[in-house]
């Protein structure tokens, strides 16, 4: 593989799935047409999010029409080799794209007439609704594969047809096709519902902000800053990959794009310093996956989570910061251990940039991020904050030697629309599934079923959701997997987390007086026990005496609205983190496959390596459920973070069998309970401190053994 120097601008990675789109973008006249349409789409959406007085339904319809047209033109329906076949396919694609835009215009022109008829479909309503649904399914097939269209077809036919033939809890009497199509398109649900609104507001504005940052040159600055901060350490290139992916992912919101943009530099650097090629690719894949966990964008997850939980976006990104940092540090721990084992070398001094030089040449790239955070803290909505940040990118570029001109701005507008196209199509399509789930009530049914299977155990429930996320992730992008799982299983996890907090109040004898009224109704003979501390078995027996019809009311009376809101955020955050595992878990792990293509390593083996390095995806969600990492005050959150940091390090040392030197089997086995002491949320500082002391002593001992040249210090094969 040819060496790639840090300053080089490599050619973009191209694969079979996107080659058709690339050919059309490079076409003599079609490429400029797509670019011009992308620029117009970006400008229109900036208008939507600033000065527009159009209704949300009309705006969502135009969002569908414009991105449907871009998708149809840029992504061919089928790939053919003959010139005549390509012309035929292009003709069909142009017609389909214009049909999407025509469907949006029809809704705007004839919405009033539909309601004047009492929501009775005319022939035009039938044709347009069916056409719009078929078009979005076709566009989804082109961009993300067959799984989502098939899932949507199953969901829509379940509501209108075969749901009535199912016996048991999933029986649904059925709706008419007229009602289903109305809710799918013309009625402002389904395709044009809340998920579509998130797409054309928050998601679009932040991805456009990321495009402006990249176009201004911030990507090169981020990588140089990462090399400056981490490059001089042993195994520094691995830390560079982790640091750069975290910074880049905080604005890009796409794991695969993050891998391609930073991996072409970091993977060759890691290999050059002595890391095995497969490990280097795994580090980049695992670190890039964390980009969707890092505020402010979080791969659209923060915006969807804020919409579902009704908790402010600023609160979501604030509580997400420490867990994301914990994840990146967990990947960095693997890097340090492998650097010791593989005897990875430092970068040469002349190759590592100096901090003063990097900051002098690119300090202005940090200003837009400061402006974005300041605007959010000051009280601006996320869309306005992103708009202000976009303007600040342009202004900040004029502080450098290469200010953004009109051409750069236009290219950034085109890049932003092209970057969001797949996400926009995906979110519009997933709206159909969300509509079916909300219409049928299948989400609550599924949650009750999970709770029943888990026997009321929060841990088993999380394991079941993790398994479901892995299966869904084989066919769904992570954002879609999160939306589907959150709709289905978030109520079950939320209920169990809230019940756990209620159990703590009962055990402490601190149940509020208004909540005791519930027990006065259902178990009056137990009232004396509520005024004193009790053991867990007694508290659980008391809760079991409360009928299901009163359980929700008991939670609302016992816990504050803020506590319940953060319990809901914790439930969604668990699902969101678990949904990321498909990026690095075989057999379908696109991020790992992208890294493997750069490193020239076997795809599946690279996937297993990335999966091992991304263990934080499974450990940190347990902290959401059982500790105040995101639900407590700042002191509690920092305490959990600090002990968890060392606890995860201990577990990683046990997994790798290496700390500062190779560990004996007995010491390796002991690392797991030592880590558990610092991770398990028993709430007693003594146990946390004991685990930390033991780990520090083992680390010092291992460090001395390593310096003494103990057996096994040979390079890892």
């Amino acid at each position: 593989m040819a060496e790639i120097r840090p300053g080089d601008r490599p050619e973009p990675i191209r694969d079979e799935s996107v080659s058709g789109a690339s050919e059309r973008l490079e076409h003599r006249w079609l490429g400029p047409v797509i670019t011009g349409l992308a620029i117009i789409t970006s400008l229109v959406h900036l208008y939507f999010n600033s000065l527009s007085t159009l209704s949300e339904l009309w705006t969502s319809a135009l969002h569908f029409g414009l991105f449907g047209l871009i998708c149809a033109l840029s992504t061919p329906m089928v790939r053919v080799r003959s010139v005549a076949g390509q012309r035929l396919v292009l003709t069909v694609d142009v017609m389909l794209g214009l049909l999407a835009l025509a469907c949006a215009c029809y809704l705007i022109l004839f919405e009033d007439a539909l309601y004047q008829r009492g929501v009775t479909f005319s022939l035009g309503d039938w044709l347009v609704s069916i056409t719009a649904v078929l078009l979005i399914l076709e566009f989804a097939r082109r961009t993300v594969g067959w799984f989502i269209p098939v899932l949507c077809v199953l969901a829509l036919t379940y509501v209108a047809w075969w749901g009535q033939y199912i016996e048991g809890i999933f029986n649904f009497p059925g709706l008419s096709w007229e009602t289903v199509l109305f809710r799918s398109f013309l009625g402002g649900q389904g395709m044009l519902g809340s998920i579509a609104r998130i797409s054309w507001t928050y998601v679009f504005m932040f991805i456009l902000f990321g495009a402006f940052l990249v176009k201004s040159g911030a990507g090169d600055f981020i990588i140089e800053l990462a090399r400056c901060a981490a490059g001089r350490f042993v195994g520094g290139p691995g830390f560079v990959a982790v640091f750069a992916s975290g910074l880049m992912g905080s604005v890009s919101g796409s794991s695969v794009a993050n891998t391609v943009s930073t991996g072409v530099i970091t993977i060759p650097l890691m290999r050059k310093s002595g890391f095995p090629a497969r490990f280097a690719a795994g580090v980049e894949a695992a670190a890039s996956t964390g980009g969707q966990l890092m505020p402010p964008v979080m791969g659209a997850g923060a915006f969807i989570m804020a919409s579902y939980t009704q908790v402010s976006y600023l609160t979501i990104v604030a509580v997400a910061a420490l867990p994301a940092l914990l994840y990146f540090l967990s990947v960095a721990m693997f890097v340090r251990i492998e650097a010791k084992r593989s005897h990875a070398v430092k970068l040469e001094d002349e190759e590592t940039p100096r901090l003063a030089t990097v900051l002098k040449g690119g300090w202005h790239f940090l200003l837009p991020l400061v402006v974005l955070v300041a605007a959010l803290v000051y009280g601006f909505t996320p869309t306005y904050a992103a708009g202000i940040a976009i303007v600040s990118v342009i202004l900040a570029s004029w502080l450098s030697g290469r200010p953004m001109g009109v051409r750069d701005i236009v290219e950034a507008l085109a890049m932003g629309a092209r970057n969001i196209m797949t996400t926009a199509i995906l979110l519009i399509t997933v709206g159909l599934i969300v509509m079916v789930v909300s219409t049928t009530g299948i989400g609550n049914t599924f949650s009750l079923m999970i709770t029943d299977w888990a026997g009321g155990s929060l841990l088993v429930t999380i394991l079941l959701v993790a398994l479901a996320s892995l299966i869904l992730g084989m066919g769904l992008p992570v954002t879609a997997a999160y939306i589907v799982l959150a709709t289905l299983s978030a109520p079950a996890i939320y209920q169990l987390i809230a019940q756990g907090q209620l159990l703590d109040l009962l055990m402490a004898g601190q149940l509020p007086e208004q909540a005791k009224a519930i027990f006065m109704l259902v178990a009056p003979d137990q009232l004396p026990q509520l005024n004193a501390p009790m053991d867990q078995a007694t508290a659980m027996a008391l809760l079991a005496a409360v009928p299901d019809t009163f359980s929700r009311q008991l939670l609302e009376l016992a816990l504050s609205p803020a506590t319940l809101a953060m319990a809901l955020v914790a439930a969604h955050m668990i699902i969101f983190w678990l949904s990321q595992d498909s990026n690095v878990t075989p057999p379908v792990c696109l991020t790992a496959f992208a890294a493997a293509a750069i490193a020239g390593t076997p795809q599946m083996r690279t996937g297993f390596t990335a999966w091992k390095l991304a263990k934080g995806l499974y450990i940190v969600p347990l902290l959401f459920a059982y500790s105040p990492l995101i639900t407590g005050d700042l002191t509690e959150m920092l305490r959990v973070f600090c002990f968890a940091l060392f606890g995860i390090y201990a577990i990683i040392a046990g997994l790798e069998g290496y700390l500062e030197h190779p560990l004996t089997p007995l010491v390796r086995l002991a690392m797991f309970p030592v880590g558990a002491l610092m991770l398990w949320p028993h709430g007693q500082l003594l146990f946390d401190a004991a685990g930390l002391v033991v780990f520090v002593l083992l680390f010092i001992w291992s460090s001395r053994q390593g310096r003494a040249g103990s057996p096994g210090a040979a390079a890892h094969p």
Side-chain angles (χ1 to χ4, degrees), residues 252-617:
S252 74
S254 170
S255 298
V256 176
N258 200 359
T259 301
V260 173
S261 60
T262 60
V264 291
I265 294 176
T266 58
I267 290 176
L269 282 177
M270 281 188 276
R271 293 183 62 182
K272 184 177 180 180
S273 67
F275 285 105
R278 180 156 50 89
F279 181 84
V283 168
E284 181 59 43
S288 294
T289 295
Q292 294 211 351
L293 307 174
M294 177 64 74
V297 178
M298 295 172 61
F303 314 118
I304 299 170
M305 202 178 299
S307 175
Y308 274 176
T309 62
Q310 296 301 301
V311 174
S312 72
Y313 164 80
L314 188 59
T315 301
I316 297 289
V317 297
V319 300
L322 279 180
L325 181 59
L326 195 59
Y327 174 81
F328 282 108
L329 289 174
S330 73
V331 180
M333 294 167 190
F334 278 104
V335 170
R336 175 177 171 80
I337 288 175
E338 185 62 35
K340 287 293 211 180
R341 183 162 53 191
S342 300
H343 295 282
V345 299
K346 301 179 183 179
L347 290 175
E348 297 297 330
D349 288 344
E350 62 269 14
E351 295 179 350
T352 307
R354 296 184 178 276
L355 179 61
T357 304
V358 173
L359 289 178
K360 182 179 179 180
W363 64 271
H364 59 279
F365 291 120
L366 300 175
L367 291 180
L369 297 176
V370 174
V371 169
L372 175 64
V373 174
L376 290 170
V377 172
Y378 190 74
F380 285 97
T381 64
T383 52
Y384 272 92
I388 295 171
I390 289 172
V391 175
S392 71
V393 172
I394 300 172
L395 296 178
S397 71
W398 283 81
L399 299 174
S400 69
R402 186 184 174 277
M404 292 185 71
V406 174
R407 181 172 181 176
D408 293 321
I409 295 172
V410 169
E411 290 178 354
L413 290 171
M415 181 191 301
R418 290 197 301 265
N419 288 349
I420 195 184
M421 186 266 290
T422 299
T423 303
I425 296 296
L426 170 66
L427 293 178
I428 294 170
T429 311
V430 169
L432 291 172
I433 301 174
V434 174
M435 181 272 295
V436 170
V437 171
S438 61
T439 298
T440 60
I442 199 173
N444 291 332
T445 304
F446 188 80
S447 293
L448 291 173
M449 186 177 68
I450 287 181
T451 304
D452 184 54
W453 286 353
S457 168
L458 178 56
L459 179 60
V460 176
T461 301
I462 293 174
L463 292 176
L464 289 174
V465 172
L467 179 61
S469 74
L470 178 59
I471 295 172
L472 279 178
M474 293 179 185
L476 291 176
V478 291
T479 303
Y482 161 62
I483 294 172
V484 173
L485 278 173
T487 307
L488 294 175
S489 57
I493 299 179
Y494 159 71
Q495 185 80 11
L496 291 172
I497 291 176
Q499 285 180 354
Q501 295 174 335
L502 177 59
L503 187 66
D504 291 339
L505 288 179
L506 280 173
M507 293 171 61
Q510 298 176 353
L511 191 70
E513 292 297 324
Q514 62 268 25
K516 295 178 182 178
I518 299 293
F519 289 95
M520 189 179 299
L521 292 173
V522 301
D525 56 320
Q526 304 293 333
L527 282 178
Q529 300 185 56
L530 299 178
N531 298 317
M534 63 186 75
D535 57 39
Q536 185 175 3
T538 304
M540 292 181 68
L542 280 172
L543 284 181
V546 179
D548 292 339
T549 53
F550 288 97
S551 60
R552 182 182 180 88
Q553 187 176 2
L554 176 60
L555 290 176
E556 292 175 351
L557 291 174
L559 303 174
S560 67
T563 300
L564 290 173
M566 293 311 298
L568 184 58
V569 170
H572 277 266
M573 201 71 78
I574 289 169
I575 296 169
F576 181 67
W577 273 62
L578 293 176
S579 298
Q580 309 300 316
D581 66 347
S582 62
N583 273 325
V584 291
T585 307
V588 180
C589 41
L590 297 181
T591 303
F593 290 168
I598 298 171
T601 54
Q603 291 185 336
M604 205 58 65
R605 295 183 65 189
T606 303
F608 279 110
T609 301
W611 177 67
K612 180 186 72 172
L613 299 177
K615 282 296 174 285
L617 289 177

Side-chain angles (χ1 to χ4, degrees), residues 49-226:
N49 287 285
S50 56
L51 304 174
S52 174
T53 57
L54 294 177
S55 69
E56 290 185 344
L57 176 59
W58 290 11
T59 305
S60 297
L62 291 172
H63 179 67
F64 157 68
L66 289 169
F67 279 105
L69 180 56
I70 292 176
C71 179
L73 294 180
S74 60
T75 310
M77 181 172 58
V78 292
R79 294 192 64 201
V80 292
R81 296 185 179 276
S82 66
V83 176
Q86 290 176 356
R87 289 176 179 173
L88 177 61
V89 170
L90 177 57
T91 301
V92 174
D93 286 341
V94 170
M95 293 175 61
L96 293 181
L98 293 176
L99 269 178
L101 195 57
C103 289
C105 295
Y106 179 92
L107 184 148
I108 294 173
L109 294 173
F110 295 98
E111 181 191 14
D112 291 341
L114 173 63
Y115 289 103
Q116 288 171 3
R117 292 193 302 272
V119 198
T120 301
F121 269 26
S122 65
L123 178 61
D125 296 334
W126 279 102
L127 293 176
V128 167
S129 299
I130 294 173
T131 300
V133 171
L134 292 177
L135 284 173
I136 198 61
L137 295 180
E138 165 61 14
F139 296 151
R141 181 197 65 81
R142 299 185 189 194
T143 53
V144 294
W146 279 101
F147 191 91
I148 288 182
V150 171
L151 193 61
C152 287
V153 170
L154 289 174
L156 293 174
T157 53
Y158 167 77
V159 175
W161 172 40
W162 56 271
Q164 58 188 314
Y165 301 113
I166 297 180
E167 297 181 358
I169 59 175
F170 290 109
N171 176 267
F172 184 71
L175 299 174
S176 67
W177 275 110
E178 184 179 34
T179 302
V180 172
L181 290 172
F182 172 77
R183 296 186 179 186
S184 297
F185 184 66
L186 294 177
Q189 303 172 50
M191 293 170 54
L192 308 182
S194 59
I195 305 299
R197 288 194 290 275
I198 292 170
S199 178
W200 61 260
T201 53
Y202 308 126
V203 178
F204 180 86
M205 292 298 291
F206 275 83
I207 290 183
L208 185 62
F209 168 61
F212 269 83
L213 265 183
V214 171
K215 191 62 185 176
S216 69
D220 295 335
F221 169 72
I222 286 174
I223 293 175
E224 290 301 300
L225 184 63

Side-chain angles (χ1 to χ4, degrees), residues 619 646-656 671-672 674-676 679 695:
I619 297 175
F646 291 100
I648 292 175
Y649 202 169
I651 289 176
I652 290 173
L655 290 172
E656 293 289 273
M671 281 295 179
F672 294 102
V674 169
L679 285 169
F695 175 73

Side-chain angles (χ1 to χ4, degrees), residues 34-54:
I34 296 173
T35 300
L37 183 60
I39 295 168
I40 293 172
T41 300
S42 289
L43 292 174
V44 168
H45 278 72
L46 286 173
Y47 169 73
F48 287 160
N49 287 285
S50 56
L51 304 174
S52 174
T53 57
L54 294 177

